[in-house]
Amino acid sequence: METFTKQFQDCNGNSCKVSWCRIKGNRPGPVLAIVAGQHGMEHVGPGLLPEFIEEMASGDFAGELRICANANPFALLMDYEYYPEKEDLSKINEYFYSIFRHNYCPWGLGRDTAQTLYNMNRLWQREGDLGVAGQITAWLWPEMIEGSHVVLDLHGHQHQALIYSGNGTDFDLSAMPGIPKLVMEDPNPDTWSSGCLTDQACLAGIKSLCFEFSIQHARGEYEFEAGKEYLRNIMKGIRMLDGDIIHDHPVWKIPFNPPEDKKGILKAEHTGRLRFFKNEGDEVQKGELIFVIRDVETGTILQEGRAPRWGIVGTLSPYPIVKEGMFCTYVPVPELLLAAGTPAKKFSENWWVK
């Protein structure tokens, strides 16, 4: 195992070190690159990858692993999505975190209000003065991404565990890990979004996949073992580890939610306390109860939210109290990628050999 470290400096002279490691297997095989910690409040990937590195350090696998567990130490130390090096950093002390992700930013640069180039996962293969985050991506790309056959980008969402697929990703790869719900990204990302690692990897002819774990601003240790199992499953599927991949649940492909598809959207008809009885990724039949809204003062049920059609429960509103007209959930019609108990399709032998 080799470790490569480089020191980076921001515009104010503050410095940090970024490291990645190469673990060579004991027989020929593909190259798998794994990156985590691009966003500073997403801690599951950076937490589990050192344990995964220790597990794989024996090299008892085919091919080569390249792993960067903490791509953005400046942001991780702030527990914030990005590192706004040219702003007044003391404002982080005014930051009020809530589950309602990205809706508040002390610098006025939140997801809903600005497309900031402080965001590391918008800077891959982008030219220009991109600050210290851009320096890091410019170093990692030729060092560990180029020459790889598969790239995994580990993130954290503020929902239950999801997979988002980069454009052009092989659906067989998407079904391998075992996360029940695969959500496809917008097939036509805007210029800002196209700087994501998965998008740029796909453009370079590298198969890629983005994991979204279920929590931000927290350790998320309850997902460590599942996350490591997802990685092992992918290594099996791309012929780095031996063994079959059989999940005890189906894997669904959910289309990118088209704005014109109004049939599956459920909104609040009253103001009250929202309570869900289904999880994201659950299959529901038309008419099945998904949630209720109760009056805050009396506890009386004001609304029963029932599935408008057969489908899969999509994103759940994080709000405990909703107001009339607010989004509650969405029921898209999915495509079954893998039935429960069915072995996931593995790549062919020597698939990485051109």
Side-chain angles (χ1 to χ4, degrees), residues 29-43:
V31 177
L32 172 61
I34 308 173
V35 176
Q38 289 201 68
H39 292 147
M41 75 294 203
E42 299 169 1
H43 299 284

Side-chain angles (χ1 to χ4, degrees), residues 7-242:
Q7 184 164 300
F8 294 90
Q9 196 170 77
D10 72 2
C11 64
N12 298 306
N14 301 310
S15 63
C16 73
K17 293 178 181 178
V18 178
S19 298
W20 70 277
C21 73
R22 174 189 288 128
I23 309 173
K24 293 186 177 181
N26 55 13
R27 55 194 184 277
V31 177
L32 172 61
I34 308 173
V35 176
Q38 289 201 68
H39 292 147
M41 75 294 203
E42 299 169 1
H43 299 284
V44 178
L48 70 85
L49 279 179
E51 297 179 8
F52 188 71
I53 290 170
E54 292 168 355
E55 177 184 330
M56 293 295 156
S58 66
D60 187 17
F61 58 86
E64 178 179 303
L65 281 170
R66 301 174 181 178
I67 301 176
C68 178
N70 299 284
N72 197 351
F74 277 126
L76 285 159
L77 289 169
M78 287 178 63
D79 189 35
Y80 195 73
E81 182 174 23
Y82 50 80
Y83 179 64
E85 59 183 295
K86 295 182 181 179
E87 313 301 324
D88 178 2
L89 295 178
S90 69
K91 282 186 171 291
I92 193 64
N93 297 321
E94 302 172 13
Y95 177 53
F96 173 73
Y97 165 67
S98 93
I99 197 171
F100 316 124
R101 62 191 299 268
H102 307 310
N103 289 345
Y104 171 72
C105 172
W107 301 280
L109 298 171
R111 282 283 185 91
D112 296 342
T113 56
Q115 294 186 345
T116 175
L117 290 179
Y118 290 129
N119 188 332
M120 177 178 280
N121 201 31
R122 300 297 182 272
L123 306 182
W124 294 90
Q125 294 293 82
R126 192 185 294 278
E127 297 180 355
D129 180 8
L130 303 173
V132 69
Q135 295 172 32
I136 295 169
T137 59
W139 176 63
L140 289 176
W141 183 271
E143 289 282 318
M144 66 171 291
I145 304 302
E146 283 186 352
S148 61
H149 299 97
V150 176
V151 170
L152 305 179
D153 188 16
L154 277 53
H155 285 271
H157 208 269
Q158 198 59 56
H159 293 284
Q160 296 177 37
L162 311 175
I163 283 185
Y164 286 92
S165 168
N167 297 334
T169 295
D170 191 308
F171 291 146
D172 291 335
L173 177 67
S174 304
M176 288 174 190
I179 300 177
K181 189 175 73 168
L182 165 71
V183 179
M184 296 305 300
E185 286 185 352
D186 188 343
N188 299 297
D190 57 31
T191 301
W192 182 65
S193 298
S194 66
C196 294
L197 175 57
T198 50
D199 285 293
Q200 290 301 312
C202 285
L203 289 173
I206 305 169
K207 297 179 184 295
S208 67
L209 196 64
C210 175
F211 286 4
E212 294 278 359
F213 292 101
S214 70
I215 195 167
Q216 299 171 347
H217 300 281
R219 293 190 305 275
E221 292 170 353
Y222 57 88
E223 288 189 315
F224 281 22
E225 295 307 315
K228 288 184 283 186
E229 184 65 17
Y230 298 154
L231 299 180
R232 292 186 209 103
N233 285 341
I234 285 182
M235 291 181 69
K236 291 178 182 178
I238 65 175
R239 303 289 182 168
M240 296 180 77
L241 290 174
D242 295 329

